[in-house]
Amino acid sequence: MRERARATNLVERERKFDAVALFYTLSLGFAAGSDRSVQAFLERFVEMSDCDELSYATFHGWFSPPFVALLREILDDAIENLDTRNADLSGRLERFRDVLIADGSIVSLYQDAADVYAATGDDQAGLKLHLTESLSTGLPTRYRTTDAKTQERSQLPTGEWVAGALVLLDLGFYDFWLFDRIDQNNGWFVSRVKDDANFEIVEELRTWRGNSIPLEGESLQVVKDVLQRQEIDVRITLSFERKRGSCTSTTRTFRLVGVWNEDTEEYHLYLTNLSKDDYSAPDIAQLYRARWEIELLFKELKSRFGLDEINTTDPYIIEALVIMAAISLLMSRVIVDELRKLDVKQRESADDATASSLQLPRRRCSHAVERHSHLIQLYVMLDLGYELPDLDELLLWASRDPNPHRPRLREQVESGEFW
């Protein structure tokens, strides 16, 4: 980390800059307490770095393009080097290398940040976080930020990274070209279908008893409102431009399944390239339910790691805090893995051979990390060779008035002018 910091002008410009102390102040301090202001981060940094002459202006100035680039590089490396050896999938998911879930979520910002982070409303500002989550690890495999107007589809690349994986897509990624690219790269997909989609049905994949309505040759919109069966399982055709801007249409056939929902009294429809022999229509609907995991991940980032409260309009601080939320999440997962290893050792050494394992769900553990992150930070810094701060000096520094020449209320009452 220090070598990377030296590759920027951060260290050259400011002798007080300590990349390691600042990194752990943000990554662990970000989750500690309810105050996530720059002033709070400054005070936590001073605790660890023994630098009580550091001014707010100097600390604020460290949040710059080189520092954001450093954090981005650390995050990208961490994501790339995730250890997934113990992340095997089972049951319906065992045939896949992984299950990847793509989605976007908007982080609300102060209106004054709209110049950089525009939102759909004229008087609004927002940052959109684009994630692709690995179901096996519960962690992002891609993590990008844009303004709130950017469409999710534009931030999802295609290529060999989908090989052997199942990709779950909502309507924000509804793109026939994308479905074709996933299929061409030996991946699988399940996507919701737009309400107004009107595919031509070319083959029925399930035979129904009695006088069932024949679907072959019909269009989806004509038949879906008159069917009374619990499932739809057909092959459909769709047309798109395989080469963008070529004006040459390509036709592909994919599988469309529908499962009747008693509550809404309508079909939930899905497009997929998974075969009927491997997955029935209810199986496809069940697979799609795993998309809820990414909603839980967004909730965790916002509630546990501070993305629900970004109290600044500075674009570099905003970007740094959003990246640090992801790094904090990764670090909490590392801690969870270590806790699970410790739990196994304790059970193996227990006198009672039938001792049951403690349940250590990821999100409950991240909550524990949040509650104790300040203490974790202290132990980490001590292990790295930092010393405990002088408590008297630290409290004196934190208590000093940053505006000593501004008259206080009592002084105004005692000797100020009457208005």
Side-chain angles (χ1 to χ4, degrees):
M1 196 178 301
R2 288 193 173 96
E3 290 174 359
R4 289 182 175 184
R6 282 194 290 269
T8 71
N9 64 351
L10 289 169
V11 175
E12 295 176 3
R13 184 176 60 197
E14 177 55 67
R15 291 181 302 168
K16 298 174 184 177
F17 184 87
D18 183 341
V20 174
L22 183 57
F23 174 80
Y24 283 110
T25 296
L26 291 174
S27 60
L28 291 171
F30 194 64
S34 58
D35 188 356
R36 297 183 175 101
S37 64
V38 175
Q39 178 64 34
F41 294 142
L42 167 60
E43 293 180 7
R44 293 181 189 127
F45 177 79
V46 170
E47 287 180 12
M48 293 296 105
S49 63
D50 190 24
C51 187
D52 57 8
E53 295 180 359
L54 182 63
S55 69
Y56 177 91
T58 299
F59 185 76
H60 187 282
W62 289 348
F63 291 87
S64 60
F67 181 55
V68 171
L70 173 64
L71 295 179
R72 169 63 63 186
E73 186 177 338
I74 292 171
L75 174 59
D76 288 345
D77 282 357
I79 290 176
E80 183 178 352
N81 293 302
L82 285 175
D83 185 359
T84 59
R85 289 173 296 179
N86 298 320
D88 295 333
L89 299 171
S90 59
R92 291 186 179 90
L93 307 177
E94 63 182 356
R95 70 168 296 180
F96 305 117
R97 173 183 60 82
D98 203 345
V99 177
L100 304 174
I101 312 168
D103 206 351
S105 182
I106 293 177
V107 178
S108 297
L109 302 173
Y110 290 145
Q111 182 181 347
D112 290 345
D115 290 345
V116 178
Y117 296 107
T120 53
D122 294 336
D123 58 346
Q124 297 176 334
L127 174 146
K128 183 172 286 188
L129 182 57
H130 304 268
L131 284 185
T132 302
E133 179 187 0
S134 162
L135 187 64
S136 62
T137 65
L139 289 172
T141 61
R142 281 180 172 79
Y143 190 95
R144 291 292 179 266
T145 58
T146 65
D147 63 33
K149 289 185 175 181
T150 302
Q151 295 296 318
E152 287 94 337
R153 172 64 191 92
S154 67
Q155 299 301 304
L156 183 66
T158 57
E160 296 179 356
W161 63 274
V162 301
L166 171 64
V167 186
L168 303 179
L169 303 164
D170 73 354
L171 294 179
F173 301 90
Y174 190 75
D175 187 321
F176 301 158
W177 182 87
L178 174 60
F179 304 155
D180 178 66
R181 291 298 300 160
I182 293 174
D183 189 66
Q184 292 293 320
N185 282 281
N186 300 312
W188 291 274
F189 70 88
V190 176
S191 170
R192 284 297 298 268
V193 176
K194 287 186 175 181
D195 292 337
D196 60 353
N198 197 23
F199 305 116
E200 179 186 353
I201 299 171
V202 297
E203 180 185 3
E204 288 195 66
L205 299 177
R206 176 173 175 176
T207 302
W208 294 86
R209 296 179 181 179
N211 296 324
S212 61
I213 299 174
L215 302 183
E216 188 171 328
E218 300 287 350
S219 63
L220 177 63
Q221 291 295 332
V222 170
V223 300
K224 75 172 186 176
D225 292 332
V226 299
L227 292 177
Q228 296 181 352
R229 61 188 67 172
Q230 291 298 310
E231 301 171 17
I232 299 174
D233 201 341
V234 298
R235 194 170 299 280
I236 56 91
T237 60
L238 50 85
S239 299
F240 61 97
E241 294 177 1
R242 177 165 284 171
K243 186 176 182 181
R244 299 290 195 181
S246 65
C247 298
T248 302
S249 180
T250 300
T251 300
R252 289 291 311 272
T253 61
F254 286 116
R255 183 182 173 202
L256 180 142
V257 303
V259 178
W260 182 256
N261 185 284
E262 296 289 349
D263 295 331
T264 61
E265 296 186 343
E266 62 182 3
Y267 287 103
H268 286 186
L269 298 172
Y270 309 91
L271 274 176
T272 184
N273 60 343
L274 291 168
S275 72
K276 177 181 178 298
D277 293 338
D278 296 321
Y279 296 93
S280 66
D283 285 337
I284 299 299
Q286 192 74 358
L287 288 174
Y288 192 80
R289 289 184 62 193
R291 263 197 51 80
W292 185 247
E293 283 292 322
I294 200 167
E295 301 297 338
L296 296 176
L297 185 62
F298 282 127
K299 181 179 179 181
E300 185 177 2
L301 284 168
K302 290 182 177 181
S303 63
R304 302 280 185 248
F305 299 106
L307 291 191
D308 61 338
E309 185 180 354
I310 297 184
N311 299 321
T312 180
T313 60
D314 188 307
Y316 299 120
I317 297 180
I318 292 171
E319 189 73 15
L321 295 183
V322 171
I323 294 172
M324 287 311 308
I327 294 176
S328 299
L329 175 71
L330 294 173
M331 293 178 69
S332 76
R333 293 293 193 265
V334 172
I335 295 172
V336 170
D337 289 343
E338 294 302 316
L339 289 174
R340 287 175 169 172
K341 293 176 185 177
L342 178 62
D343 179 47
V344 170
K345 289 181 180 179
Q346 289 180 347
R347 286 187 291 109
E348 288 176 348
S349 61
D351 294 334
D352 184 0
T354 63
S356 61
S357 171
L358 294 173
Q359 296 298 311
L360 300 175
R362 288 170 177 160
R363 291 183 179 87
R364 181 174 178 82
C365 286
S366 74
H367 187 35
V369 171
E370 176 199 19
R371 291 198 305 265
H372 303 290
S373 58
H374 202 184
L375 185 60
I376 296 169
Q377 180 189 2
L378 175 63
Y379 274 88
V380 168
M381 301 304 283
L382 290 174
D383 191 59
L384 291 173
Y386 290 80
E387 296 181 355
L388 288 173
D390 184 316
L391 187 57
D392 291 341
E393 291 299 322
L394 177 64
L395 293 175
L396 281 172
W397 172 83
S399 302
R400 289 192 181 103
D401 187 352
N403 301 293
H405 302 297
R406 180 182 300 171
R408 305 272 71 81
L409 175 61
R410 177 175 173 176
E411 295 171 354
Q412 293 177 347
V413 171
E414 290 176 339
S415 59
E417 295 182 3
F418 182 80
W419 63 89

